[in-house]
């Protein structure tokens, strides 16, 4: 069926003075999934669409949400499903769908199929950016769910222990729409962890507030909210359904100030309690820290007396796990850019004198340490990845094994290609679905020098 015959406008020169194609509709056959929570489709004229709210193999009417007549590609939403895929379900979240909340990508997909889509994305990124196949990296092609996250189609695991809410000018709380500053008001978020939901943030008015960030620790009963007032507004009295610490973001300095309660939460992983202050990183899924520590330590197999380096160490999770395993004759260096996180790491690991924490940018601090070799390295970089120069420095240390923890498959693939030029290859890779209903995943790659472990 042609676009004209289907009632969808055919592709042609834009008639508006700005050449915007927003609002134009095309009937398309949906192609493969792509990195970013959308699928690729082409109009009859060959124009590329990145379409959300659809699945490979479907036939849909896609409405353009971003793009001009001269754009390389257009972004679009599937607004009518003409031929549905077998893995499609009705979205369990009432706030999901075209033009609505942008927090989730795959509410309309069966849980098992979500993991298959993520596996396809990881496979494609590895092949395109690093020339690697699943066999090359000893990956069985599965994205592993966290224990307890296996739910029936139409159900949603409540996993998100950190939520960032936006507040509209009327004081209603909500979440941002996809690639937008517009706010979708909500009265609950299905993926919010019970510790978040029980605070009752979504059912209250927040006059004078721009954002509400909430944390529900999984290793303790600690609950925390961080409020950002609108310019010139006064902080309201905060009365929630559970005891909670309250912090605020200063209008003039942008710093976080304690209003009442603790300015940190206590988490639990690897048989230790971890203090995490505002600005310190901790995994969002309640089981993520334990799962990733286990995967990293199993892959590295630390030995007594070894030296190890934990880059982007945060509050010290991997550094502490390494220190426990290399023993009193071993040594661990952690490097973290955030001042508060580095201070928390020192406090968290104060009982382990074999650990040293340095604060500053990893790329600058590592060369200044004077360290020329290490047995083990953990890399847990931000979403952009480690990059070519840092990979070169890590490889120059000659570690027998490297653990790379990645939250972005494209960054992982690029960095694996850099490691390959220094004769490091993956011993194995594991992928974890620690962000159900979204396109995100977490990967652990264990690398070793070529020729070892064959």
């Amino acid at each position: 069926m042609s676009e004209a015959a289907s009632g969808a406008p055919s592709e042609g020169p834009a008639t508006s003075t700005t050449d915007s194609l927003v609002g134009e509709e095309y009937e398309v056959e949906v192609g493969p999934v792509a990195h970013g929570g959308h699928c690729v489709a082409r109009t009859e004229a060959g124009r590329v669409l990145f379409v959300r709210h659809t699945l490979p193999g479907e036939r849909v009417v896609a409405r353009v949400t971003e793009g001009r007549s001269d754009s390389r590609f257009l972004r679009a939403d599937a607004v009518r499903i003409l031929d549905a895929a077998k893995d499609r379900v009705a979205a369990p979240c009432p706030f999901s769908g075209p033009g609505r909340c942008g927090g989730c990508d795959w509410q309309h997909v069966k849980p098992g199929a979500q993991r298959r889509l993520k596996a396809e994305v990881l496979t494609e990124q590895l092949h395109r950016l690093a020339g690697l196949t699943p066999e090359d990296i000893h990956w069985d092609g599965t994205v592993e769910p966290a224990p307890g996250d296996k739910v029936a189609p139409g159900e949603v695991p409540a996993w998100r222990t950190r939520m960032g809410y936006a507040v509209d000018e009327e004081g209603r709380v909500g979440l941002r729409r996809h690639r937008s500053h517009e706010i979708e008001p909500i009265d609950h978020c299905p993926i919010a962890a019970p510790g978040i939901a029980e605070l009752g943030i979504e059912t209250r008015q927040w006059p004078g507030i721009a954002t509400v960030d909430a944390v529900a620790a999984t290793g303790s009963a600690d609950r925390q909210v961080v409020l950002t007032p609108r310019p010139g507004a006064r902080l309201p009295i905060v009365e929630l359904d559970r005891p909670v610490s309250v912090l605020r973001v200063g209008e003039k300095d942008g710093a976080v100030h304690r209003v009442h309660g603790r300015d940190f939460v206590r988490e639990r992983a690897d048989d230790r309690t971890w203090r995490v202050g505002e600005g310190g990183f901790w995994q969002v899924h309640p089981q993520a820290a334990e799962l990733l520590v286990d995967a990293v330590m199993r892959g590295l197999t630390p030995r007594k007396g070894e030296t190890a380096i934990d880059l982007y160490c945060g509050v010290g999770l991997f550094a502490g796990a390494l220190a426990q395993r290399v023993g009193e004759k071993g040594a661990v260096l952690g490097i973290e850019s955030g001042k508060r996180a580095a201070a928390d790491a020192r406090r968290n690991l104060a009982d382990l004198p074999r650990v040293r924490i340095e604060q500053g940018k990893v790329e600058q601090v590592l060369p200044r340490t004077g360290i020329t070799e290490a047995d083990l390295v953990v890399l847990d970089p931000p979403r952009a990845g480690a990059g070519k120069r840092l990979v070169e420095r890590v490889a120059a240390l000659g570690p027998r094994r490297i653990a790379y923890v990645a939250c972005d498959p494209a960054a992982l693939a690029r960095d694996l290609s850099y490691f390959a030029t220094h004769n490091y290859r993956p011993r194995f890779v594991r992928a974890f679905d620690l962000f159900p209903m979204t396109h995100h995943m977490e990967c652990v790659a264990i690398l070793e020098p070529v020729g070892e472990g064959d």
Side-chain angles (χ1 to χ4, degrees):
M1 182 186 296
S2 70
E3 291 169 348
S6 71
S10 60
E11 187 169 19
T15 57
S16 69
T17 57
T18 59
D19 288 330
S20 173
L21 295 181
V22 173
E24 296 286 295
E25 293 185 355
Y26 304 96
E27 184 177 315
V28 293
E29 294 279 357
V30 179
V33 65
H35 183 29
H38 49 251
C39 297
V40 181
R42 290 183 181 270
T43 68
E44 288 185 347
R47 184 180 290 276
V48 175
L49 300 178
F50 289 161
V51 189
R52 284 170 55 82
H53 308 292
T54 188
L55 277 165
E58 292 188 325
R59 188 162 186 85
V60 305
V61 174
R63 181 180 297 154
V64 177
T65 57
E66 289 182 43
R68 296 162 49 91
S69 59
D70 59 351
S71 299
R72 276 195 313 116
F73 59 84
L74 306 176
R75 296 184 184 274
D77 284 340
V79 294
R80 293 202 299 281
I81 311 303
L82 306 178
D83 188 7
K86 63 179 178 61
D87 289 321
R88 174 176 285 276
V89 294
C93 176
F95 310 106
S96 176
R100 310 273 322 259
C101 173
C104 291
D105 308 291
W106 303 122
Q107 285 274 346
H108 61 287
V109 185
K110 293 177 181 178
Q114 291 182 34
R115 293 190 288 273
R116 290 194 294 273
L117 290 173
K118 296 181 185 189
E120 290 176 21
V121 169
L122 179 55
T123 300
E124 188 272 337
Q125 293 292 300
L126 288 166
H127 176 72
R128 185 169 63 86
L129 298 175
L132 294 171
T133 66
E135 292 75 20
D136 293 332
I137 61 174
H138 308 285
W139 173 47
D140 65 5
T142 63
V143 176
E144 305 171 42
D149 274 358
K150 289 188 176 181
V151 295
E155 297 182 5
V156 177
W159 57 271
R160 195 171 183 92
T161 64
R162 283 156 169 76
M163 291 286 298
Y165 298 98
V167 183
D168 66 17
E169 294 184 356
E170 298 177 14
R172 297 177 303 174
V173 74
L175 298 170
R176 302 284 183 190
R177 292 169 182 156
H178 181 62
R179 294 176 61 84
S180 173
H181 293 293
E182 294 182 358
I183 298 170
E184 177 73 18
I186 67 170
D187 57 19
H188 73 285
C189 175
I191 67 171
I196 296 287
E198 69 185 9
L199 295 176
I201 291 170
E202 299 101 327
T203 61
R204 283 168 168 70
Q205 294 290 108
W206 296 90
I209 296 298
T211 63
V212 180
D213 294 310
V215 177
T218 55
S220 68
D222 294 348
R223 305 289 182 263
Q224 182 185 89
V225 296
V226 182
L227 306 179
T228 303
R230 295 184 179 275
R234 298 182 62 183
L235 197 71
I237 296 175
V238 179
E239 294 181 349
L240 294 174
D241 294 347
R242 294 289 188 274
V244 63
S245 297
V246 178
L247 291 76
R248 66 167 292 167
V249 177
E251 181 177 344
K252 294 182 179 179
D253 59 6
V256 178
H257 304 274
R258 185 175 65 87
V259 177
H260 66 75
R262 296 189 181 95
D263 63 351
F264 60 90
V265 297
R266 293 163 297 175
E267 300 283 0
R268 187 78 183 166
D270 199 42
D271 295 325
R272 293 178 68 88
T273 297
W274 305 89
R275 170 178 171 146
V276 185
E278 171 57 29
F281 175 78
W282 192 261
Q283 289 284 344
V284 177
H285 194 289
Q287 299 176 61
E290 200 73 58
L291 279 172
L292 294 175
V293 165
D294 180 71
V296 168
M297 295 303 122
R298 284 176 181 267
L300 292 179
T301 61
R303 302 164 184 165
K304 298 295 185 182
E306 287 192 313
T307 59
I309 301 177
D310 181 8
L311 303 177
Y312 307 98
C313 72
V315 299
L317 177 63
F318 294 120
L322 287 164
Q324 300 262 59
R325 291 158 175 80
V326 300
E328 295 182 359
K329 294 184 178 180
V332 179
L333 170 68
I335 303 177
E336 166 58 34
S337 62
K339 291 183 179 179
R340 177 61 191 268
D344 283 341
R346 293 187 184 107
R347 182 186 293 266
N348 290 332
L349 304 175
D351 63 318
L352 299 171
R354 53 194 171 276
V355 180
R356 185 171 105 238
I357 303 296
E358 297 285 348
Q359 188 270 317
K361 292 185 177 180
V362 168
E363 299 82 355
Q364 298 173 359
V365 173
L366 183 57
R368 293 204 303 260
T369 63
I371 295 175
T372 58
E373 59 182 23
D375 297 303
L376 304 170
V377 174
V378 176
L379 263 171
D380 187 6
R383 190 169 300 278
K388 184 181 295 187
R389 293 185 63 184
L390 183 57
V391 165
E392 181 180 6
R393 289 195 178 277
V394 169
L397 298 172
R400 67 173 180 84
R401 284 195 184 166
I402 300 166
Y404 188 117
V405 183
C407 60
D408 183 88
L412 171 64
R414 283 192 296 268
D415 285 344
L416 288 183
S417 71
Y418 299 147
F419 272 113
T421 66
H422 299 285
N423 293 318
Y424 275 86
R425 68 177 182 188
R427 179 180 176 87
F428 65 82
V429 171
R430 294 176 68 185
F432 300 92
D433 187 17
L434 300 180
F435 310 91
M437 303 291 153
T438 80
H439 74 273
H440 300 289
M441 70 187 96
E442 203 83 19
C443 298
V444 174
I446 303 297
L447 296 92
E448 61 186 6
V450 173
E452 295 192 14
D454 293 339

